[in-house]
Amino acid sequence: TDPALIRNFCIIAHIDHGKSTLADRILQLTGVVEDRQMRAQYLDRMDIERERGITIKSQAVRLPYKAVDDATYVLNLIDTPGHVDFSYEVSRSLAACEGAVLLVDAAQGIEAQTLANLYMAIENDLAIIPVLNKIDLPAAQPEKYAAELAGIIGCDPSDVLKVSAKTGIGVDDLLNEIVAKIPHPVGDPDAPARAMIFDSVYDTYRGVVTYVRVVDGELTTRERIQMMSSKATHEMLEIGVSSPEPTKVAGLGVGEVGYLITGVKDVRQSRVGDTVTSAAKPAAEILSGYRDPKPMVFSGLYPMDGTDYPVLRDALEKLQLNDAALVFEPETSVALGFGFRCGFLGLLHLEITRARLEREFNLDLISTAPNVVYQVVMEDGTEYTVTNPSEYPEGKIEEVREPIVRGTVLSPAEFVGPIMELCQGRRGTLLGMDYLSEDRVEMRYTLPLAEIVFDFFDQLKSRTRGYASLDYEPQGEQVADLVKVDILLQGEAVDAFSAIVHKEKSYAYGVEMTKKLRELIPRQQYEVPVQAAIGARVIARENIRAIRKDVLSKCYGGDISRKRKLLEKQKEGKKKMKMVGRVEVPQEAFISALSAD
Ligand code: GTP
């Protein structure tokens, strides 16, 4: 295709603002999906995506479109994931485009994550087409939010398009605007081939499917390709485009978007952000922007039933085929047995991975409280990277560093007070505050990542009745006054409960955990002390009193069937007990104590 007739664009939108619905309408309008084949959210393939209503993996679809000038254009719609954890993937799909549709719910206004992605698009020099969606809703306030959007991107409020992805109003105008406003791709057709990988998906039948955008030259089926970051070469088995079903083509030229199927076996050999070139005639320079995905949040995952351990290992290996950002290694815990320490991009990534393990592999899992990565420097100069609190080094510590993030909160102005209170309580530093409109503010904070992984989102939502939104990005690390708190049952540390916390919060953590455990662990034959300690210093203590457990005495009369039921129930409970030293702890206690509330 002549690059002058190509338009590569993506849709930047907050979850639920209607990106999938708009994509569905565009598929229908361009005629690539017939009306009777149309199912809602055609492009979201993973079941779990559809169920949770979020898009995890970006994909591209090629659409022929006859514009008002009667020329037929090729529109490549590149789907971007909406959530903060996947912002690196977002940045790569943006880099594959010349323009972005900024889609905002006309009843809600713009959200923090959308704003973050918008700024990223502006930095990448993308043409921005501002669009308000859901104008059919009675609660829509198109004038108000058009003014807001115009203020943010510096255009006239009348330039903001108004559509309803549901009814289809305005969608044709939007496509014409895309053709008119978004520049066509430019590249050197005679240079050695260079294409950027913006997505890479493992498919059981086809192996790894790599989605690329060609920048220079041409990729054809006849040649071997090379991944420029690793120099590894692979056989090219198929080149194609999604329209939206996979369709083979002979090659991809300047500005074109499509997929490659090669001999690659797992997505880690075909990483998002890497540059693909021809093995015979390799390009000299890699396209900028390649970055290894770096896990920021760690948690231990353990099967409820110890015999499921091999199943969990296989399941993690399978997920990793499709998720270059997921890392794991075996670990053992006194309390929880054999499991894996897993690293994730963020909390949502953790949650999704866990849900997929439980659903697709039928596993029941316990996860330990998520923690971040700490750098511990000892007085003798040795340095440790700690991804598991129970591996916190003993001895004389010079300093501990923790990761920090730059967080942006968007909220109605009335909640400024509660948000400041929350962020200050989480060791945040206010960097600045701006009014986007009369009643909406943007607040910028530096915050320790550790404070965000622990129920920050929930707190933010509950203090602002769900109206505030948060986005964050890594900002390096800082030295902090951190200590490890251990929880001991009868003098023995329970590794799954160890936590690295700020010194000022260590006492509260100790009190809370010991209280919780006293309530959760049933009385034993003897008294069991529950303690919280920093090193050898005990900071909190509770006692589980001794009793002789005699459930039958509670049964008055001689109702034999009731007695039997109770005995059976007790037997069942026993099965799920774990021994910590001499103390019997029901598995339920671990689960409840580890859950955030
Ligand atoms: P993710 O896939 O989670 O990113 O969400 P999304 O942004 O793709 O949103 P989706 O298309 O799933 O739409 C969210 C909800 O809004 C759905 O219930 C849609 O039916 C509804 N919706 C989308 N567009 C419109 C619209 O123009 N009008 C109305 N009334 N509802 C809409």
Side-chain angles (χ1 to χ4, degrees):
T1 316
D2 178 0
L5 294 174
I6 300 176
R7 298 291 182 274
N8 294 324
F9 74 103
C10 58
I11 303 174
I12 298 175
H14 189 69
I15 289 164
D16 276 348
H17 284 206
K19 187 172 76 183
S20 304
T21 311
L22 179 64
D24 286 352
R25 269 314 74 66
I26 293 177
L27 292 185
Q28 264 180 314
L29 205 81
T30 52
V32 298
V33 180
E34 283 177 38
D35 290 359
R36 64 192 157 82
Q37 289 178 324
M38 195 68 215
R39 54 188 158 86
Q41 312 202 336
Y42 198 92
L43 297 176
D44 286 357
R45 292 192 185 213
M46 248 191 282
D47 278 351
I48 192 153
E49 288 187 18
R50 196 161 313 157
E51 228 166 84
R52 304 196 36 156
I54 45 176
T55 309
I56 301 163
K57 276 290 174 186
S58 46
Q59 273 177 310
V61 49
R62 179 185 176 113
L63 308 154
Y65 180 65
K66 197 166 177 180
V68 281
D69 62 5
D70 257 359
T72 300
Y73 290 84
V74 170
L75 309 184
N76 289 307
L77 166 56
I78 293 170
D79 199 14
T80 55
H83 193 273
V84 40
D85 284 3
F86 306 102
S87 71
Y88 175 63
E89 290 188 16
V90 176
S91 80
R92 293 304 84 201
S93 29
L94 292 180
C97 303
E98 279 80 24
V101 170
L102 173 66
L103 187 73
V104 172
D105 187 325
Q108 308 264 325
I110 199 162
E111 305 267 354
Q113 284 139 37
T114 316
L115 198 62
N117 290 341
L118 170 67
Y119 290 151
M120 221 192 289
I122 292 173
E123 271 167 37
N124 275 290
D125 282 332
L126 265 56
I128 310 292
I129 300 182
V131 179
L132 288 171
N133 185 31
K134 307 196 189 184
I135 52 159
D136 60 294
L137 286 180
Q141 294 179 278
E143 299 321 318
K144 171 174 167 191
Y145 291 120
E148 185 177 291
L149 285 188
I152 294 168
I153 60 180
C155 66
D156 196 83
S158 63
D159 292 338
V160 178
L161 300 186
K162 301 181 179 76
V163 307
S164 166
K166 191 172 168 182
T167 66
I169 296 172
V171 178
D172 200 37
D173 292 342
L174 170 58
L175 292 179
N176 274 307
E177 186 90 348
I178 287 169
V179 168
K181 284 264 178 72
I182 296 178
H184 63 78
V186 275
D188 180 354
D190 302 320
R194 284 200 300 176
M196 191 198 59
I197 302 178
F198 63 87
D199 201 4
S200 182
V201 184
Y202 179 77
D203 181 298
T204 326
Y205 302 105
R206 305 191 291 166
V208 172
V209 181
T210 300
Y211 290 87
V212 296
R213 139 86 195 247
V214 176
V215 175
D216 294 320
E218 190 181 13
L219 287 174
T220 62
T221 25
R222 292 184 302 277
E223 55 198 335
R224 283 181 75 81
I225 53 157
Q226 186 189 77
M227 303 296 179
M228 289 189 75
S229 72
S230 63
K231 300 275 183 263
T233 68
H234 302 279
E235 198 183 344
M236 180 90 88
L237 302 174
E238 182 181 326
I239 300 184
V241 295
S242 323
S243 59
E245 300 306 329
T247 312
K248 285 184 201 174
V249 297
L252 293 173
V254 169
E256 290 197 289
V257 172
Y259 66 83
L260 313 176
I261 296 175
T262 62
V264 169
K265 291 286 176 298
D266 84 59
V267 294
R268 282 172 297 169
Q269 297 170 288
S270 179
R271 290 206 151 161
V272 170
D274 204 351
T275 304
V276 177
T277 189
S278 139
K281 201 176 124 193
E285 248 185 89
I286 196 165
L287 296 166
S288 67
Y290 176 67
R291 201 170 80 193
D292 258 337
K294 192 168 146 223
M296 301 285 290
V297 175
F298 284 77
S299 168
L301 289 183
Y302 292 84
M304 291 270 200
D305 178 350
T307 61
D308 276 344
Y309 177 77
V311 184
L312 177 58
R313 189 189 50 222
D314 288 351
L316 284 167
E317 279 167 6
K318 284 219 179 77
L319 289 189
Q320 202 174 43
L321 288 174
N322 213 345
D323 186 349
L326 175 65
V327 297
F328 60 91
E329 58 181 47
E331 76 171 359
T332 41
S333 147
V334 180
L336 304 172
F338 290 98
F340 293 92
R341 179 122 297 244
C342 305
F344 306 93
L345 295 174
L347 272 186
L348 183 78
H349 188 209
L350 187 168
E351 234 184 89
I352 287 169
T353 307
R354 193 190 150 146
R356 290 188 65 189
L357 288 168
E358 297 200 309
R359 178 145 357 148
E360 292 167 33
F361 301 90
N362 214 3
L363 287 160
D364 280 325
L365 298 173
I366 305 179
S367 52
T368 61
N371 61 268
V372 300
V373 185
Y374 297 97
Q375 296 295 333
V376 182
V377 186
M378 311 301 286
E379 278 182 4
D380 66 7
T382 357
E383 197 169 328
Y384 297 92
T385 300
V386 178
T387 56
N388 184 343
S390 69
E391 285 166 4
Y392 198 74
E394 313 252 325
K396 290 216 154 53
I397 290 170
E398 176 73 32
E399 70 174 26
V400 187
R401 297 194 302 265
E402 61 174 348
I404 51 172
V405 298
R406 182 190 154 108
T408 306
V409 180
L410 279 194
S411 166
E414 60 186 294
F415 300 117
V416 164
I419 293 170
M420 284 187 155
E421 202 183 2
L422 172 65
C423 291
Q424 269 156 22
R426 299 304 181 98
R427 301 190 276 131
T429 314
L430 183 65
L431 299 172
M433 191 167 132
D434 282 311
Y435 279 80
L436 297 181
S437 60
E438 253 168 56
D439 56 352
R440 293 236 300 165
V441 290
E442 178 194 89
M443 301 164 79
R444 295 178 298 280
Y445 273 93
T446 304
L447 285 154
L449 178 62
E451 299 285 346
I452 288 184
V453 301
F454 196 74
D455 86 335
F456 187 91
F457 281 102
D458 293 342
Q459 285 292 327
L460 182 67
K461 289 290 174 195
S462 74
R463 283 167 198 236
T464 61
R465 284 190 271 119
Y467 282 117
S469 60
L470 167 80
D471 184 73
Y472 64 86
E473 60 182 57
Q475 283 284 296
E477 47 182 27
Q478 70 180 13
V479 174
D481 204 356
L482 301 167
V483 291
K484 182 176 93 156
V485 181
D486 289 314
I487 305 296
L488 298 83
L489 279 185
Q490 218 167 32
E492 218 178 298
V494 184
D495 49 10
F497 294 141
S498 294
I500 297 170
V501 291
H502 195 256
K503 204 167 183 182
E504 278 171 15
K505 294 182 177 178
S506 57
Y507 179 73
Y509 177 80
V511 169
E512 190 195 344
M513 284 305 272
T514 50
K515 272 218 177 90
K516 254 194 199 172
L517 286 174
R518 191 199 63 199
E519 278 159 26
L520 290 166
I521 297 173
R523 295 177 178 192
Q524 317 264 323
Q525 314 284 40
Y526 32 78
E527 189 178 82
V528 177
V530 186
Q531 296 162 309
I534 299 173
R537 190 164 56 89
V538 172
I539 56 170
R541 173 177 178 141
E542 296 277 343
N543 284 322
I544 301 167
R545 273 185 295 145
I547 55 150
R548 245 200 86 72
K549 236 190 183 179
D550 188 1
V551 282
L552 295 190
S553 63
K554 275 193 222 145
C555 291
Y556 37 87
D559 183 345
I560 215 74
S561 72
R562 169 136 192 231
K563 265 187 201 168
R564 196 175 299 128
K565 240 190 223 155
L566 265 171
L567 280 172
E568 266 163 26
K569 222 170 155 190
Q570 202 185 25
K571 223 163 80 195
E572 204 157 279
K574 275 259 164 61
K575 269 196 287 183
K576 289 192 189 144
M577 294 286 182
K578 295 241 179 187
M579 295 299 292
V580 177
R582 289 202 303 149
V583 188
E584 271 187 347
V585 183
Q587 210 166 40
E588 260 311 300
F590 286 124
I591 301 165
S592 313
L594 287 172
S595 64
D597 44 334

